Amino acid sequence: MTQVEESSGEPEPTEAHRPQCRCETFSRVTERAALAGARWLGRADKEAAEEASFTAARQALEQMSISGKVVIGAHEDAEQLAAGTLIGAGGEEFDLALDPLEGRAVVARGGTNAISMIAAAPRGSMPSLPDMYMRKMAVGPRARGQIDLTRPVGDNIRAIAGAFDRMVNDITAIVLDRPRHHDLIEEIRSAGARIKLIQDGDVTASISAAVRGTNDHLAIGIGGTRQAVLAAAALRCLGGELQAQLWPTRRAEIEEARVHGISDPDRVFTIDDLAPQELIVVATGVSNGDLLRGVRFLADSARTHSLVMCTRCNWVRFVDSIHFFARERREEIRLS
């Protein structure tokens, strides 16, 4: 004991004295946001759905015993949870990346795969990126180390097929159904891979590519920087890989990138650049999807399905929760 004190100054903290991890408490944020957003499913009002989810997320964060700083959040002109917002009741300091309603258009038309999501990391560890497009590619643990965003799409697909020991035409690539992806889709088809076109759900697609049993192997395409950071955070927890590159559409965006310290607009960002080593990531289903079930409203309660991931605790959990709306319960608990 004396030798330890002389060499380090203070004894190493034991597990009992380490700060308690707050990973499970962050699910309150996404659950409340999902419950609020799900009320607008199929009502053709994406702005109202997004506003409801953002308000619920903000209220939940305000009650948490943290000192949070939003690094990746709503657009700068948004009224709440924009980048730079300080939030929380005081306590452990966190950087926050969040999207209380990933897939607001999905909710408006009553579609699938809408989620609420948040990522938290120690203060100062999360990157700040300009609000613009990024070209990105995401894979799971089996294909980690096999992709290279600077190489042709066909080469990457063949490398992924090799990692899975499969034929190329057994590989499924998830792509957002957007006009900007016309050439990308043709490249994937030329390579011989299968394509799953999705209307929305950029982050969910990246997670799906890293979860076994979905039969998805690659998520690729152009989306926002917010989605890139959230996807990278999730893939860090799942052991996958993501590479991304800024995709400016205006000269002003190149200047904005320089303001954020990015001098080379062609730089390829890796998961080490986008997601710190210590992370908490939580996603809750808003509408039914391949990965998470959506909110189910019952007589006096609602059921949510969440994915909770934490690198500090080294776990990935699927959490099924029931939320009661009144103290006097008229309904029994259901197993499923």
Side-chain angles (χ1 to χ4, degrees):
M1 184 67 177
T2 303
Q3 292 178 345
V4 172
E5 289 177 346
E6 288 176 352
S7 61
S8 64
E10 294 182 1
E12 288 291 320
T14 63
E15 287 295 325
H17 293 92
R18 294 184 189 278
Q20 183 178 5
C21 187
R22 296 188 174 276
C23 55
E24 293 171 291
T25 64
F26 275 98
S27 62
R28 300 175 190 173
V29 179
T30 57
E31 286 172 350
R32 289 182 64 172
L35 287 166
R39 293 286 189 187
W40 292 89
L41 187 69
R43 294 173 62 183
D45 194 339
K46 59 185 180 182
E47 287 79 15
E50 186 175 59
E51 180 68 19
S53 292
F54 269 76
T55 298
R58 175 181 56 77
Q59 291 172 344
L61 284 167
E62 287 174 344
Q63 296 171 8
M64 288 185 65
S65 298
I66 64 168
S67 295
K69 180 181 179 181
V70 178
V71 177
I72 302 290
H75 300 295
E76 293 181 358
D77 57 350
E79 295 182 359
Q80 52 186 343
L81 297 180
T85 300
L86 300 177
I87 197 165
E92 188 175 355
E93 295 186 335
F94 286 98
D95 281 346
L96 304 174
L98 52 89
D99 193 345
L101 189 58
E102 155 75 353
R104 62 177 192 161
V106 168
V107 172
R109 65 174 178 266
T112 60
N113 284 316
I115 63 171
S116 173
M117 189 169 179
I118 189 169
R123 179 66 63 82
S125 63
M126 194 168 281
S128 175
L129 296 175
D131 186 9
M132 58 187 292
Y133 281 129
M134 292 193 94
R135 183 170 71 101
K136 51 189 178 290
M137 181 184 300
V139 294
R142 288 284 294 273
R144 186 179 64 229
Q146 302 300 313
I147 61 172
D148 185 343
L149 195 60
T150 63
R151 291 166 54 196
V153 173
D155 289 355
N156 281 287
I157 290 174
R158 285 185 284 273
I160 293 168
F164 280 92
D165 195 23
R166 296 190 182 190
M167 301 290 289
V168 169
N169 57 10
D170 292 332
I171 297 301
T172 302
I174 312 175
V175 184
L176 277 172
D177 190 4
R178 298 288 188 274
R180 62 179 179 265
H181 289 149
H182 178 270
D183 292 343
L184 171 64
I185 291 169
E186 290 304 314
E187 287 185 77
I188 297 172
R189 286 172 177 163
S190 296
R194 304 192 306 165
I195 300 175
K196 180 191 289 186
L197 289 176
I198 59 174
Q199 295 300 316
D200 288 283
D202 197 357
V203 179
T204 306
S206 296
I207 297 174
S208 182
V211 175
R212 192 168 185 176
T214 61
N215 203 31
D216 299 322
H217 309 95
L218 164 69
I220 187 170
I222 300 168
T225 51
R226 175 169 61 177
Q227 287 76 18
V229 171
L230 287 169
L235 289 170
R236 166 74 76 187
C237 298
L238 292 167
E241 182 178 4
L242 183 142
Q243 295 181 13
Q245 191 177 44
L246 292 178
W247 191 265
T249 57
R250 296 176 290 110
R251 181 171 295 276
E253 291 182 336
I254 297 177
E255 295 303 320
E256 187 178 356
R258 291 196 177 101
V259 171
H260 282 76
I262 305 169
S263 57
D264 180 9
D266 296 325
R267 172 187 172 184
V268 175
F269 292 82
T270 67
I271 202 166
D272 291 327
D273 300 316
L274 299 174
Q277 292 283 346
E278 190 167 299
L279 272 169
I280 297 167
V281 180
V282 185
T284 300
V286 178
S287 63
N288 283 330
D290 298 331
L291 185 69
L292 293 169
R293 293 188 298 274
V295 176
R296 289 163 286 168
F297 290 103
L298 307 173
D300 60 357
S301 63
R303 197 159 195 156
T304 59
H305 191 214
S306 302
L307 175 61
V308 181
M309 301 178 280
C310 179
T311 57
R312 181 191 292 182
C313 296
N314 200 27
W315 67 30
V316 175
R317 289 183 172 184
F318 284 91
V319 180
D320 194 357
S321 303
I322 299 174
H323 310 263
F324 289 99
F325 302 137
R327 292 289 180 182
E328 295 295 328
R329 299 171 186 172
R330 297 182 290 113
E331 199 168 33
E332 70 276 4
I333 299 293
R334 301 182 184 182
L335 288 178
S336 59

